[in-house]
Amino acid sequence: MILSALNDYYRRLAAQEKVPVPGFSSEKVSYALVFSHDGEPVAIDDLRDTSGKKPRPRSQQVPVDKRRTSGIHAYPLWDKTAYALGVTAGEGKRLADEHAAFKARQLALFGGCDDADLCAFLRLLKHWQPEKLAELSGYSEEMLDTNIVFRLDGQQRYLHENSMARSLWRTALENDEGVVGQCLVTGEIATLGTDHPAIRGVRDAQSSGASLVSFNSDAYNSYGNKGQDNAAISKVAIFGYSTALNYLLRGDSDNHQRLQIGDTTVVFWAEASDAVHAEAAEDFFAMLNEPPSDQQEAAQLGSLLGQVAQGRPLAELDPRLESGTRFFVLGLAPNAARLSVRFWCADTLDRLARHYAQHHRDLALEPAPWKGIAPGSWWMALQTAPMRGGQKPKADDVPPQLAGELMRSILTGRRYPQSLLSNLVMRFRNDGHITGARIALCKAVLARTARLAAHSNSHTQEVPVSLDRHSTHPGYLLGRLFAELENAQRGALGNQINATIRDRYYGAASATPASVFPMLLRNAQNHLSNMRKKDKGGLAHTLEREIGAIVNGLGDTFPKHLKVEDQGRFAIGYYHQSQARFAKRDSATTPEESTQGDDT
């Protein structure tokens, strides 16, 4: 299914002339060697893009027949300097053999033609002396071991763009022998291939590329086949899927079809009636995962998702989107020389939009911990990484499996991974960053679990979006109580405290309440007494009344321990009660309350 969808996507790209035709590949080229009609080298052209901080090679569509591995294999009319010119910056143990292979390949392909340009190229190779490279104009040591192409002096196009050269190359490919069989991707009878091009662009995979289809053990052999013969895929389909995937993974700044979530590199594409509708669907999906920073656009997106959640089809909300558009999302992760498929989702755009709308509803928290619409999934995954010493979390610290499972849950609308809640609760204890974004994730896990459980006639108490003073859930009440006890401490001692009760007791209070809360309540009485001595009697009375109301809802004893789900509700209750304090301070209330709020 993955390869078939990619192969179909290649056809769309090929129709738009965005990808090379079979037998060619987009490769990074840095330099061009200019030579004369007599076959004499003239100069070196630097083809690199110098618009950025560092010069970068440019992509060119050059002839490629198969992936080069550990063996010696030369490409026509382009290659690394070790092959093309017999010069390298390294030891060059195989340098002579590689350069000889390059000359032999060019002679075998173009030796029999009478094209003047190609004949001049062959004369260049015949008389080429590697030691004279450094004498050419434009030479620098930076060009060693980079890819180079060739150009005849006085011409604009490069030699691999020569029409005769391309014709001879296509003929050579067509005459290539192979086993004929039924392709597992297209179902057609065609010449089967065994060489799958490397897939480049997956983060932390090998820079030279990694394999999506490979067999490295006899255990995977079947029906007498060996190695890549076990995957009966035609050469055309191999070229199609690999070219489309490499196009999706390209590192261009304008590539909006690629996401990075933890260690998972995500690509997506659409299948619609025409390219315009497909590109509109891809832009819409990209916006779902990277919400716009502009407040007006973000508000429009939020409104659209709200209407989608109410059941309105996308085509009615945005005329650029077509109903019935198929959408594909593929998550890939590095695995040594190979790639792991973290997740694969094929669905309609309407259904994906509904799942995203539900994801935003599950994340809803009052007051919202962010401005506008909820951040993208990559940012939410980042919240599961540790925040050491107040530093921003790093993508490398996101648990690898968790990022993929979170994205799969968002795409499919299924339960969030249980490990997400456990990870967040653990982060609360370890780094002490009880942030609104993390609590929103806790709320999303619990809210979705409760909603799906409701469909199975299970009785699970609803997870509140905003402060719920009527909730009787022990975890939620204990979180609220902990926030009020912290408030009492700040009211008595001020905000300049070396360590608050949150810093010292949050972990124990959320996991084993009975061991901590009796002591905290005794200390709270001291804090309330202290406030009354400082003419904060009004605030002390308000806090005492709130604490008493919460304690009355808990019953006679504190729970000895809370499950991880209850610890999640503890965090939500703590957030709601803490934010209610700020809401009171911000609201225009009585002068007395305003003064008390400033003190807290």
Side-chain angles (χ1 to χ4, degrees):
M1 180 64 185
I2 297 175
L3 303 185
S4 178
L6 283 168
N7 189 48
D8 292 341
Y9 181 56
Y10 168 77
R11 293 173 184 170
R12 174 188 137 193
L13 294 172
Q16 296 176 281
E17 298 183 350
K18 291 184 175 179
V19 291
V21 297
F24 292 80
S25 174
S26 290
E27 300 292 338
K28 294 178 179 178
V29 177
S30 299
Y31 295 89
L33 189 149
V34 184
F35 60 97
S36 68
H37 288 274
D38 298 330
E40 292 294 328
V42 175
I44 302 293
D45 281 352
D46 189 344
L47 306 180
R48 295 176 297 176
D49 180 5
T50 56
S51 59
K53 293 182 179 178
K54 292 183 178 179
R56 294 183 304 171
R58 296 180 187 272
S59 292
Q60 291 205 21
Q61 295 185 9
V62 291
V64 170
D65 52 348
K66 69 177 185 178
R67 176 183 177 186
R68 183 159 57 207
T69 54
S70 57
I72 294 178
H73 182 76
Y75 295 120
L77 305 176
W78 75 279
D79 216 317
K80 296 193 302 181
T81 57
Y83 276 85
L85 303 177
V87 182
T88 179
E91 297 179 1
K93 294 180 179 177
R94 304 191 308 180
L95 187 62
D97 294 337
E98 290 172 347
H99 187 49
F102 182 80
K103 291 197 291 187
R105 183 106 200 248
Q106 317 310 311
L107 189 62
L109 286 170
F110 310 116
C113 77
D114 55 358
D115 184 85
D117 298 356
L118 293 172
C119 289
F121 173 64
L122 294 178
R123 282 194 292 273
L124 169 73
L125 293 182
K126 183 177 180 181
H127 301 293
W128 171 251
Q129 297 178 1
E131 60 275 12
K132 291 189 175 181
L133 175 65
E135 300 174 3
L136 293 177
S137 170
Y139 169 79
S140 71
E141 291 187 353
E142 291 182 352
M143 76 172 293
L144 298 180
D145 297 322
T146 62
N147 289 331
I148 71 163
V149 293
F150 296 87
R151 181 171 67 84
L152 193 62
D153 192 19
Q155 293 190 0
Q156 295 295 323
R157 68 182 182 185
Y158 299 101
L159 200 57
H160 63 270
E161 298 170 334
N162 180 293
S163 56
M164 176 59 74
R166 295 172 76 92
S167 175
L168 290 171
W169 174 239
R170 281 193 292 269
T171 302
L173 290 177
E174 291 169 359
N175 293 334
D176 189 18
E177 297 179 354
V179 178
V180 176
Q182 186 174 29
C183 175
L184 295 178
V185 174
T186 63
E188 300 172 348
I189 303 299
T191 304
L192 303 180
T194 57
D195 187 70
H196 294 254
I199 306 301
R200 301 188 183 95
V202 175
R203 182 175 170 183
D204 294 334
Q206 290 185 351
S207 58
S208 58
S211 298
L212 183 61
V213 178
S214 69
F215 300 83
N216 66 332
S217 172
D218 293 342
Y220 307 121
N221 293 336
S222 59
Y223 294 100
N225 294 318
K226 291 184 178 179
Q228 309 292 53
D229 290 336
N230 288 283
I233 305 175
S234 68
K235 290 184 176 181
V236 176
I238 290 174
F239 179 81
Y241 93 76
S242 59
T243 303
L245 188 51
N246 278 321
Y247 176 82
L248 289 167
L249 288 166
R250 69 194 189 281
D252 299 348
S253 58
D254 62 344
N255 182 11
H256 303 300
Q257 293 175 255
R258 182 178 185 271
L259 294 171
Q260 191 65 45
I261 302 178
D263 75 330
T264 306
T265 303
V266 182
V267 294
F268 53 87
W269 66 98
E271 184 180 289
S273 61
D274 54 47
V276 175
H277 286 98
E279 289 175 0
E282 289 156 1
D283 291 342
F284 174 70
F285 189 80
M287 193 164 57
L288 288 177
N289 288 280
E290 185 68 55
S293 55
D294 182 78
Q295 290 187 3
Q296 189 174 0
E297 293 181 5
Q300 289 176 352
L301 178 61
S303 172
L304 186 146
L305 287 176
Q307 296 181 67
V308 168
Q310 294 172 4
R312 290 193 63 186
L314 275 176
E316 290 183 7
L317 303 172
D318 190 339
R320 298 175 304 161
L321 302 176
E322 190 178 48
S323 86
T325 299
R326 294 275 296 165
F327 212 88
F328 307 95
V329 187
L330 174 63
L332 298 171
N335 182 13
R338 296 168 184 81
L339 298 176
S340 297
V341 177
R342 278 270 190 265
F343 57 83
W344 161 247
C345 177
D347 210 333
T348 63
L349 183 64
D350 280 276
R351 199 147 40 206
L352 281 177
R354 284 201 294 275
H355 292 159
Y356 268 83
Q358 191 59 60
H359 170 63
H360 282 256
R361 293 184 69 175
D362 289 336
L363 281 174
L365 196 66
E366 292 294 340
W370 43 70
K371 293 181 180 179
I373 196 170
S377 47
W378 66 270
W379 193 86
M380 300 307 294
L382 207 57
Q383 304 309 307
T384 61
M387 302 178 188
R388 301 185 182 92
Q391 295 181 348
K392 292 182 179 179
K394 298 178 180 176
D396 294 340
D397 294 332
V398 176
Q401 298 289 343
L402 184 57
E405 291 175 5
L406 173 61
M407 190 66 187
R408 187 188 297 115
S409 301
I410 296 172
L411 293 170
T412 60
R414 296 175 184 168
R415 292 173 189 263
Y416 293 105
Q418 187 64 22
S419 57
L420 175 59
L421 181 60
S422 305
N423 180 280
L424 292 166
V425 169
M426 180 184 67
R427 293 291 174 228
F428 291 151
R429 295 181 192 168
N430 290 351
D431 61 28
H433 285 273
I434 309 169
T435 64
R438 284 180 170 179
I439 291 173
L441 277 172
C442 285
K443 188 258 175 182
V445 174
L446 295 171
R448 180 168 293 191
T449 302
R451 188 180 69 255
L452 296 178
H455 294 160
S456 59
N457 297 324
S458 175
H459 300 288
T460 305
Q461 196 170 133
E462 186 179 355
V463 184
V465 174
S466 58
L467 179 62
D468 183 4
R469 297 183 185 279
H470 303 291
S471 174
T472 58
H473 194 282
Y476 187 76
L477 283 173
L478 287 167
R480 288 183 57 203
L481 177 60
F482 191 75
E484 286 302 328
L485 295 176
E486 183 188 27
N487 195 17
Q489 184 192 36
R490 291 185 181 278
L493 306 179
N495 291 324
Q496 304 301 321
I497 309 174
N498 290 333
T500 66
I501 65 170
R502 187 181 80 170
D503 300 327
R504 299 179 62 181
Y505 299 113
Y506 181 89
S510 63
T512 54
S515 66
V516 174
F517 272 98
M519 178 268 293
L520 294 177
L521 284 172
R522 286 195 298 273
N523 290 341
Q525 293 304 316
N526 297 331
H527 294 147
L528 294 174
S529 177
N530 194 340
M531 278 189 282
R532 292 189 181 96
K533 294 176 183 176
K534 295 180 179 178
D535 296 331
K536 297 181 180 178
L539 176 60
H541 175 73
T542 303
L543 289 173
E544 189 172 28
R545 184 182 59 193
E546 193 74 31
I547 291 171
I550 297 172
V551 170
N552 287 338
L554 283 168
D556 297 333
T557 58
F558 290 106
K560 290 185 178 179
H561 67 274
L562 293 180
K563 297 185 296 183
V564 66
E565 293 83 0
D566 296 337
Q567 293 181 47
R569 290 185 183 253
F570 182 99
I572 298 169
Y574 173 77
Y575 178 81
H576 283 160
Q577 194 69 36
S578 301
Q579 295 300 314
R581 172 160 53 94
F582 295 116
K584 287 179 183 176
R585 186 167 58 183
D586 295 339
S587 64
T589 55
T590 64
E592 181 184 0
E593 286 176 331
S594 298
T595 305
Q596 292 165 352
D598 293 339
D599 290 337
T600 60

